[in-house]
Amino acid sequence: MAPVRNGRVLFGEYPTGYPEPGKTTIYDDSETIDVDTVPLNGGFILKTLVLSIDPYMRNLMQPGGGYGTGYVPGKPIFTPGIGLVVRSESKEVKAGDHVCGHLVAEEFSIKPSLGGLTIIDNKHNIPWSTFVGVAGMPGQTAYVGWKEFSNWKQGDVVFVTTGAGPVGSFVIQLAKADGLKVIASAGSDEKVAFMKEIGADVAFNYKTTDTREVLSKEGPIDIFWDHVGGDILDAALDAANIGARFIECGMISGYNTGGAPVKNLMQVITKDITLRGFVFARSMPKYLEEFYATVPEKIAKGELKYTEDVSYGLDKVGDVILAVQKGTNKAKAIIHVADG
Amino acid sequence: MAPVRNGRVLFGEYPTGYPEPGKTTIYDDSETIDVDTVPLNGGFILKTLVLSIDPYMRNLMQPGGGYGTGYVPGKPIFTPGIGLVVRSESKEVKAGDHVCGHLVAEEFSIKPSLGGLTIIDNKHNIPWSTFVGVAGMPGQTAYVGWKEFSNWKQGDVVFVTTGAGPVGSFVIQLAKADGLKVIASAGSDEKVAFMKEIGADVAFNYKTTDTREVLSKEGPIDIFWDHVGGDILDAALDAANIGARFIECGMISGYNTGGAPVKNLMQVITKDITLRGFVFARSMPKYLEEFYATVPEKIAKGELKYTEDVSYGLDKVGDVILAVQKGTNKAKAIIHVADG
């Protein structure tokens, strides 16, 4: 086979505000690859099928990276994705295997070994894209955060922000399965409709309805699932019950604005609040078996609902990254790179 | 006996910044009482011996009060204290009993019943004042906060603010007894000397030494005991280790300035930090027996060290309240009202 394009997404420069497509990230189609003949040196070659675009990526766009490993100017970005093994000289994988994990944002990758990737055993035949969504990192974030840090008890009132996203919508369904009252917010009426469909007792569009008013009427809240930080975290502190648990999963209100100061933190003292931040990977190992034993089947049966907002082609990555930061994406943002 | 003065401290008006002696609180000596003949109606009369002046009192000086029950303009303030029963018609107490608990800031109080007060069984003959300090609310705050929320493990590095105060100095001694490295800060060289005396590995004057520099050299920190909030909490977040525990006991940097915004809270996520605020009374019951079985004996034997800054007379209350807010007091602030 002749060489084919190997498009990729490079990290351009550190943004100061919102990431700018073409500047913060640059789509580059100058490279080619001959999939059949490129030397593998005992490794394998992967065709990228799906990439995930997530809010926390903004934290990787700073020197060092908010999570320890950031993007490097001039180098391709990376993000959770699904790849198809096209050819392999490794004993670890064979052609036809699907793998998931952090992938380089390029059409074809040569890997010396599996490294942090895992082979997907898709026994319930769920869509590959779900392995970067509800069955992947975001789903696991919701699962482990809820199981490990909610300490829910009967009668608790839960407030979930970004409730139509892949984490928030899973949290809503976990909280409802546990029989709790759920208040959920998101930034469009379409998202509000989805949150109602998956069981939220109170769902509202925070752009047209005041969060404080809703919480004052429907609270006090016992569990807060935070993706926003800043003012919304302050509102949740004001509306918190004694002994409330705040699960800090993201603080997007500060990602593109140099931070979002929190003014009401004194209330963690007067109200005996536990505020727990977490990165899913550190807590997930003990839940991983349980997660894969239950979640994919629920997805296959339609018992666990999710939505996706799919864009096609690596050249869309920059736009989708920006949309996710601005919240103008309609649901879990997915880049479909290739069929497979 | 003829009527005697019954001096008292009234709450004047809500302060906007620092409390002002004579305005925020007013010493009033216009009332008299005849201790021998005043009708008790089945209750008892208490002579106030000692009152405690503490940082959190600033939170009671706002409408509603930060802890639920605030001071009321025109009414006397209240604070933990020690009283001596002078005369009693109640079966609960007899003349000569010493009681502790929240007392009205007045020389003599008539009580219908014990209410929230407890009779002190001072079997180790420790000074009465310690029952509002190291053996009282501040000591219990240190004890329960450390036992319940530190989750300490060998090798942890602990940073304690206000380390010469009655809570901080107890926390330092608890952490050292558990074999941990302790970094401690306070606002005078005299306080630094005391922190070193009680075992702090690193003790510094935050007014002359930069907290960030110390933490950067001596950290990262695994446990942060916070009395300050604001910038110092931000510095501790910057210096925190993965999985750190932040015990939020006070945030005095914001009490007189309309709050102290926190800018670095995103790090609770990237570092898997648990930030736990608490009011000692909610967690103390399960530790109370253990506390009284061990702490007074240690005080009597000199194994648990403490310092006091004693002022004499209720007319000093306003000045001492201000000194505690400004940190110009030398140690645990005590008002000696009467011998007994």
Side-chain angles (χ1 to χ4, degrees), chain A residues 289-335:
Chain A
E289 199 178 330
E290 172 185 318
F291 181 88
Y292 282 121
T294 55
V295 171
E297 186 177 0
K298 281 185 200 294
I299 296 169
K301 287 181 174 169
E303 292 169 10
L304 180 63
K305 298 196 192 308
Y306 66 98
T307 52
E308 289 178 349
D309 183 351
V310 183
S311 302
Y312 293 83
L314 286 178
D315 55 321
K316 306 299 187 308
V317 164
D319 293 327
V320 177
I321 285 175
L322 179 59
V324 166
Q325 292 304 314
K326 295 209 157 182
T328 54
N329 57 314
K330 290 183 177 170
K332 167 75 195 107
I334 295 284
I335 302 289

Short mmCIF file of all heavy atoms in Angstrom, two decimals, chain A residues 289-335:
data_model
loop_
_atom_site.label_atom_id
_atom_site.label_comp_id
_atom_site.label_asym_id
_atom_site.label_seq_id
_atom_site.Cartn_x
_atom_site.Cartn_y
_atom_site.Cartn_z
N GLU A 289 -12.59 -3.77 38.51
CA GLU A 289 -13.22 -5.06 38.18
C GLU A 289 -14.75 -4.93 38.28
O GLU A 289 -15.49 -5.32 37.37
CB GLU A 289 -12.71 -6.12 39.16
CG GLU A 289 -12.92 -7.54 38.66
CD GLU A 289 -12.33 -8.56 39.64
OE1 GLU A 289 -11.34 -8.21 40.33
OE2 GLU A 289 -12.88 -9.65 39.74
N GLU A 290 -15.20 -4.37 39.38
CA GLU A 290 -16.63 -4.14 39.61
C GLU A 290 -17.24 -3.27 38.50
O GLU A 290 -18.35 -3.53 38.02
CB GLU A 290 -16.76 -3.46 40.99
CG GLU A 290 -18.12 -2.96 41.38
CD GLU A 290 -18.06 -2.18 42.72
OE1 GLU A 290 -17.35 -2.63 43.65
OE2 GLU A 290 -18.71 -1.12 42.81
N PHE A 291 -16.47 -2.27 38.08
CA PHE A 291 -16.95 -1.36 37.04
C PHE A 291 -17.19 -2.11 35.74
O PHE A 291 -18.27 -2.03 35.14
CB PHE A 291 -15.92 -0.24 36.84
CG PHE A 291 -16.31 0.80 35.81
CD1 PHE A 291 -17.06 1.90 36.16
CD2 PHE A 291 -15.91 0.66 34.49
CE1 PHE A 291 -17.42 2.86 35.22
CE2 PHE A 291 -16.26 1.61 33.53
CZ PHE A 291 -17.02 2.71 33.90
N TYR A 292 -16.18 -2.88 35.28
CA TYR A 292 -16.32 -3.58 34.00
C TYR A 292 -17.28 -4.76 34.09
O TYR A 292 -17.83 -5.19 33.09
CB TYR A 292 -14.95 -4.01 33.46
CG TYR A 292 -14.21 -2.84 32.82
CD1 TYR A 292 -12.97 -2.42 33.27
CD2 TYR A 292 -14.81 -2.14 31.76
CE1 TYR A 292 -12.31 -1.35 32.69
CE2 TYR A 292 -14.16 -1.06 31.18
CZ TYR A 292 -12.92 -0.67 31.65
OH TYR A 292 -12.29 0.40 31.06
N ALA A 293 -17.50 -5.24 35.30
CA ALA A 293 -18.45 -6.35 35.48
C ALA A 293 -19.89 -5.87 35.40
O ALA A 293 -20.81 -6.67 35.20
CB ALA A 293 -18.20 -7.04 36.81
N THR A 294 -20.11 -4.58 35.57
CA THR A 294 -21.50 -4.10 35.64
C THR A 294 -21.86 -3.03 34.61
O THR A 294 -22.94 -3.07 34.03
CB THR A 294 -21.79 -3.52 37.05
OG1 THR A 294 -20.83 -2.49 37.33
CG2 THR A 294 -21.69 -4.60 38.12
N VAL A 295 -20.96 -2.08 34.40
CA VAL A 295 -21.34 -0.91 33.60
C VAL A 295 -21.58 -1.22 32.12
O VAL A 295 -22.61 -0.81 31.57
CB VAL A 295 -20.31 0.24 33.81
CG1 VAL A 295 -20.56 1.38 32.83
CG2 VAL A 295 -20.38 0.75 35.26
N PRO A 296 -20.67 -1.94 31.42
CA PRO A 296 -20.93 -2.19 29.99
C PRO A 296 -22.26 -2.92 29.76
O PRO A 296 -22.99 -2.59 28.81
CB PRO A 296 -19.72 -3.04 29.57
CG PRO A 296 -18.63 -2.64 30.52
CD PRO A 296 -19.32 -2.43 31.83
N GLU A 297 -22.60 -3.85 30.64
CA GLU A 297 -23.88 -4.55 30.48
C GLU A 297 -25.06 -3.61 30.61
O GLU A 297 -26.03 -3.69 29.84
CB GLU A 297 -23.97 -5.68 31.52
CG GLU A 297 -25.20 -6.55 31.31
CD GLU A 297 -25.27 -7.71 32.30
OE1 GLU A 297 -24.36 -7.83 33.15
OE2 GLU A 297 -26.25 -8.49 32.21
N LYS A 298 -24.99 -2.70 31.57
CA LYS A 298 -26.07 -1.72 31.74
C LYS A 298 -26.18 -0.81 30.51
O LYS A 298 -27.28 -0.40 30.13
CB LYS A 298 -25.82 -0.85 32.99
CG LYS A 298 -26.19 -1.53 34.30
CD LYS A 298 -26.01 -0.53 35.44
CE LYS A 298 -25.88 -1.21 36.80
NZ LYS A 298 -27.08 -1.91 37.25
N ILE A 299 -25.03 -0.49 29.93
CA ILE A 299 -25.06 0.33 28.71
C ILE A 299 -25.73 -0.45 27.59
O ILE A 299 -26.61 0.06 26.88
CB ILE A 299 -23.62 0.73 28.30
CG1 ILE A 299 -22.99 1.64 29.37
CG2 ILE A 299 -23.62 1.44 26.92
CD1 ILE A 299 -21.50 1.89 29.19
N ALA A 300 -25.33 -1.72 27.44
CA ALA A 300 -25.89 -2.56 26.37
C ALA A 300 -27.40 -2.71 26.51
O ALA A 300 -28.14 -2.70 25.54
CB ALA A 300 -25.21 -3.94 26.38
N LYS A 301 -27.87 -2.81 27.73
CA LYS A 301 -29.30 -2.99 27.98
C LYS A 301 -30.08 -1.68 27.96
O LYS A 301 -31.30 -1.67 28.14
CB LYS A 301 -29.51 -3.64 29.36
CG LYS A 301 -29.13 -5.11 29.42
CD LYS A 301 -29.40 -5.65 30.82
CE LYS A 301 -29.18 -7.16 30.88
NZ LYS A 301 -29.18 -7.65 32.27
N GLY A 302 -29.36 -0.57 27.82
CA GLY A 302 -30.03 0.74 27.81
C GLY A 302 -30.42 1.21 29.20
O GLY A 302 -31.17 2.16 29.36
N GLU A 303 -29.89 0.54 30.23
CA GLU A 303 -30.24 0.92 31.60
C GLU A 303 -29.42 2.12 32.09
O GLU A 303 -29.79 2.78 33.05
CB GLU A 303 -30.02 -0.25 32.56
CG GLU A 303 -30.99 -1.39 32.33
CD GLU A 303 -30.59 -2.65 33.10
OE1 GLU A 303 -29.69 -2.59 33.95
OE2 GLU A 303 -31.20 -3.70 32.81
N LEU A 304 -28.30 2.31 31.43
CA LEU A 304 -27.46 3.47 31.77
C LEU A 304 -27.42 4.34 30.52
O LEU A 304 -26.94 3.91 29.47
CB LEU A 304 -26.07 3.01 32.18
CG LEU A 304 -25.07 4.10 32.55
CD1 LEU A 304 -25.53 4.88 33.78
CD2 LEU A 304 -23.69 3.48 32.85
N LYS A 305 -27.97 5.54 30.64
CA LYS A 305 -28.12 6.39 29.46
C LYS A 305 -26.95 7.36 29.34
O LYS A 305 -26.37 7.79 30.32
CB LYS A 305 -29.44 7.15 29.56
CG LYS A 305 -30.65 6.19 29.57
CD LYS A 305 -31.93 6.92 29.27
CE LYS A 305 -33.16 6.05 29.56
NZ LYS A 305 -33.10 4.72 28.92
N TYR A 306 -26.66 7.69 28.08
CA TYR A 306 -25.59 8.65 27.83
C TYR A 306 -25.89 9.33 26.50
O TYR A 306 -26.70 8.84 25.70
CB TYR A 306 -24.23 7.94 27.78
CG TYR A 306 -24.08 7.00 26.61
CD1 TYR A 306 -23.43 7.40 25.45
CD2 TYR A 306 -24.62 5.71 26.66
CE1 TYR A 306 -23.31 6.55 24.37
CE2 TYR A 306 -24.51 4.85 25.58
CZ TYR A 306 -23.85 5.27 24.43
OH TYR A 306 -23.75 4.43 23.37
N THR A 307 -25.25 10.48 26.28
CA THR A 307 -25.37 11.13 24.97
C THR A 307 -23.97 11.51 24.51
O THR A 307 -23.06 11.65 25.32
CB THR A 307 -26.23 12.42 25.03
OG1 THR A 307 -25.72 13.24 26.07
CG2 THR A 307 -27.68 12.11 25.28
N GLU A 308 -23.83 11.64 23.21
CA GLU A 308 -22.53 12.02 22.64
C GLU A 308 -22.72 13.13 21.62
O GLU A 308 -23.76 13.22 20.98
CB GLU A 308 -21.88 10.81 21.94
CG GLU A 308 -21.39 9.76 22.90
CD GLU A 308 -20.78 8.55 22.17
OE1 GLU A 308 -20.94 8.45 20.92
OE2 GLU A 308 -20.17 7.73 22.85
N ASP A 309 -21.70 13.95 21.50
CA ASP A 309 -21.67 14.99 20.48
C ASP A 309 -20.42 14.67 19.64
O ASP A 309 -19.30 14.96 20.06
CB ASP A 309 -21.57 16.36 21.17
CG ASP A 309 -21.60 17.52 20.18
OD1 ASP A 309 -21.51 17.26 18.94
OD2 ASP A 309 -21.68 18.68 20.63
N VAL A 310 -20.64 14.04 18.49
CA VAL A 310 -19.53 13.50 17.70
C VAL A 310 -19.12 14.46 16.58
O VAL A 310 -19.97 14.94 15.84
CB VAL A 310 -19.91 12.13 17.10
CG1 VAL A 310 -18.72 11.53 16.34
CG2 VAL A 310 -20.39 11.18 18.19
N SER A 311 -17.84 14.73 16.49
CA SER A 311 -17.29 15.50 15.38
C SER A 311 -16.36 14.57 14.61
O SER A 311 -15.79 13.63 15.17
CB SER A 311 -16.51 16.71 15.89
OG SER A 311 -17.34 17.52 16.68
N TYR A 312 -16.20 14.85 13.32
CA TYR A 312 -15.46 13.93 12.46
C TYR A 312 -14.14 14.52 11.97
O TYR A 312 -14.13 15.57 11.32
CB TYR A 312 -16.35 13.51 11.28
CG TYR A 312 -17.51 12.66 11.76
CD1 TYR A 312 -18.67 13.26 12.26
CD2 TYR A 312 -17.42 11.27 11.78
CE1 TYR A 312 -19.72 12.49 12.76
CE2 TYR A 312 -18.47 10.49 12.27
CZ TYR A 312 -19.61 11.11 12.76
OH TYR A 312 -20.63 10.35 13.26
N GLY A 313 -13.05 13.87 12.30
CA GLY A 313 -11.74 14.27 11.78
C GLY A 313 -10.89 15.03 12.80
O GLY A 313 -11.39 15.84 13.58
N LEU A 314 -9.59 14.74 12.76
CA LEU A 314 -8.65 15.39 13.69
C LEU A 314 -8.57 16.91 13.48
O LEU A 314 -8.19 17.64 14.39
CB LEU A 314 -7.25 14.79 13.52
CG LEU A 314 -7.03 13.39 14.10
CD1 LEU A 314 -5.60 12.91 13.80
CD2 LEU A 314 -7.28 13.37 15.59
N ASP A 315 -8.93 17.36 12.27
CA ASP A 315 -8.89 18.81 12.03
C ASP A 315 -9.94 19.55 12.87
O ASP A 315 -9.89 20.78 12.97
CB ASP A 315 -9.08 19.11 10.54
CG ASP A 315 -10.36 18.48 9.99
OD1 ASP A 315 -10.69 17.33 10.38
OD2 ASP A 315 -11.04 19.14 9.19
N LYS A 316 -10.87 18.82 13.47
CA LYS A 316 -11.90 19.46 14.32
C LYS A 316 -11.49 19.57 15.78
O LYS A 316 -12.20 20.19 16.58
CB LYS A 316 -13.21 18.65 14.26
CG LYS A 316 -13.77 18.37 12.88
CD LYS A 316 -14.11 19.64 12.13
CE LYS A 316 -14.83 19.33 10.83
NZ LYS A 316 -14.13 18.34 9.96
N VAL A 317 -10.36 18.96 16.13
CA VAL A 317 -9.99 18.87 17.55
C VAL A 317 -9.93 20.25 18.22
O VAL A 317 -10.46 20.45 19.32
CB VAL A 317 -8.64 18.11 17.72
CG1 VAL A 317 -8.04 18.34 19.11
CG2 VAL A 317 -8.86 16.62 17.47
N GLY A 318 -9.27 21.20 17.57
CA GLY A 318 -9.14 22.54 18.16
C GLY A 318 -10.49 23.19 18.44
O GLY A 318 -10.70 23.77 19.52
N ASP A 319 -11.41 23.09 17.48
CA ASP A 319 -12.74 23.67 17.68
C ASP A 319 -13.49 22.99 18.82
O ASP A 319 -14.20 23.64 19.59
CB ASP A 319 -13.57 23.54 16.39
CG ASP A 319 -13.02 24.40 15.26
OD1 ASP A 319 -12.48 25.49 15.58
OD2 ASP A 319 -13.12 23.99 14.09
N VAL A 320 -13.34 21.68 18.88
CA VAL A 320 -14.09 20.94 19.91
C VAL A 320 -13.51 21.21 21.30
O VAL A 320 -14.25 21.35 22.28
CB VAL A 320 -14.10 19.42 19.58
CG1 VAL A 320 -14.81 18.64 20.69
CG2 VAL A 320 -14.80 19.19 18.24
N ILE A 321 -12.19 21.33 21.36
CA ILE A 321 -11.57 21.70 22.65
C ILE A 321 -12.15 23.02 23.14
O ILE A 321 -12.53 23.16 24.32
CB ILE A 321 -10.03 21.80 22.51
CG1 ILE A 321 -9.43 20.39 22.43
CG2 ILE A 321 -9.42 22.58 23.68
CD1 ILE A 321 -7.92 20.37 22.16
N LEU A 322 -12.26 23.99 22.24
CA LEU A 322 -12.79 25.30 22.62
C LEU A 322 -14.27 25.19 23.04
O LEU A 322 -14.68 25.78 24.04
CB LEU A 322 -12.64 26.29 21.47
CG LEU A 322 -13.19 27.70 21.72
CD1 LEU A 322 -12.52 28.35 22.94
CD2 LEU A 322 -13.02 28.59 20.48
N ALA A 323 -15.04 24.42 22.27
CA ALA A 323 -16.46 24.26 22.59
C ALA A 323 -16.65 23.66 23.98
O ALA A 323 -17.52 24.09 24.75
CB ALA A 323 -17.14 23.37 21.53
N VAL A 324 -15.81 22.70 24.31
CA VAL A 324 -15.91 22.05 25.63
C VAL A 324 -15.56 23.04 26.74
O VAL A 324 -16.18 23.05 27.81
CB VAL A 324 -15.02 20.80 25.68
CG1 VAL A 324 -14.83 20.31 27.12
CG2 VAL A 324 -15.62 19.69 24.82
N GLN A 325 -14.59 23.91 26.50
CA GLN A 325 -14.24 24.92 27.50
C GLN A 325 -15.37 25.94 27.67
O GLN A 325 -15.61 26.43 28.76
CB GLN A 325 -12.93 25.64 27.13
CG GLN A 325 -11.69 24.77 27.22
CD GLN A 325 -11.49 24.13 28.58
OE1 GLN A 325 -11.60 24.79 29.62
NE2 GLN A 325 -11.23 22.83 28.61
N LYS A 326 -16.04 26.23 26.55
CA LYS A 326 -17.13 27.22 26.62
C LYS A 326 -18.47 26.58 26.96
O LYS A 326 -19.45 27.27 27.21
CB LYS A 326 -17.24 27.96 25.28
CG LYS A 326 -16.01 28.81 24.98
CD LYS A 326 -16.34 30.02 24.13
CE LYS A 326 -15.29 31.10 24.31
NZ LYS A 326 -15.54 32.33 23.58
N GLY A 327 -18.52 25.26 26.93
CA GLY A 327 -19.77 24.58 27.24
C GLY A 327 -20.78 24.62 26.11
O GLY A 327 -21.97 24.40 26.31
N THR A 328 -20.32 24.91 24.90
CA THR A 328 -21.25 24.96 23.77
C THR A 328 -21.40 23.61 23.09
O THR A 328 -22.23 23.45 22.20
CB THR A 328 -20.80 26.01 22.72
OG1 THR A 328 -19.45 25.72 22.35
CG2 THR A 328 -20.86 27.41 23.30
N ASN A 329 -20.60 22.63 23.50
CA ASN A 329 -20.84 21.26 23.02
C ASN A 329 -22.17 20.77 23.57
O ASN A 329 -22.62 21.22 24.61
CB ASN A 329 -19.70 20.33 23.47
CG ASN A 329 -19.53 20.33 24.98
OD1 ASN A 329 -19.52 21.38 25.60
ND2 ASN A 329 -19.44 19.17 25.58
N LYS A 330 -22.78 19.83 22.84
CA LYS A 330 -24.12 19.40 23.24
C LYS A 330 -24.12 18.25 24.23
O LYS A 330 -25.13 18.00 24.90
CB LYS A 330 -24.91 18.99 21.99
CG LYS A 330 -25.25 20.19 21.12
CD LYS A 330 -26.07 19.78 19.93
CE LYS A 330 -26.45 21.03 19.11
NZ LYS A 330 -27.05 20.67 17.82
N ALA A 331 -23.03 17.51 24.27
CA ALA A 331 -22.96 16.33 25.14
C ALA A 331 -21.49 15.92 25.16
O ALA A 331 -20.62 16.69 24.71
CB ALA A 331 -23.83 15.21 24.58
N LYS A 332 -21.21 14.75 25.70
CA LYS A 332 -19.84 14.23 25.71
C LYS A 332 -19.20 14.41 24.33
O LYS A 332 -19.69 13.91 23.33
CB LYS A 332 -19.88 12.74 26.06
CG LYS A 332 -18.57 11.99 25.82
CD LYS A 332 -17.55 12.30 26.88
CE LYS A 332 -16.14 11.87 26.47
NZ LYS A 332 -15.28 13.00 26.12
N ALA A 333 -18.09 15.15 24.27
CA ALA A 333 -17.44 15.46 22.99
C ALA A 333 -16.52 14.32 22.55
O ALA A 333 -15.65 13.89 23.31
CB ALA A 333 -16.66 16.76 23.13
N ILE A 334 -16.77 13.86 21.36
CA ILE A 334 -16.04 12.74 20.78
C ILE A 334 -15.51 13.17 19.41
O ILE A 334 -16.24 13.79 18.64
CB ILE A 334 -16.99 11.54 20.57
CG1 ILE A 334 -17.52 11.00 21.91
CG2 ILE A 334 -16.34 10.44 19.73
CD1 ILE A 334 -16.53 10.19 22.69
N ILE A 335 -14.27 12.83 19.12
CA ILE A 335 -13.76 12.99 17.76
C ILE A 335 -13.72 11.60 17.12
O ILE A 335 -13.02 10.70 17.61
CB ILE A 335 -12.32 13.57 17.75
CG1 ILE A 335 -12.26 14.93 18.48
CG2 ILE A 335 -11.79 13.68 16.32
CD1 ILE A 335 -12.93 16.08 17.77
#
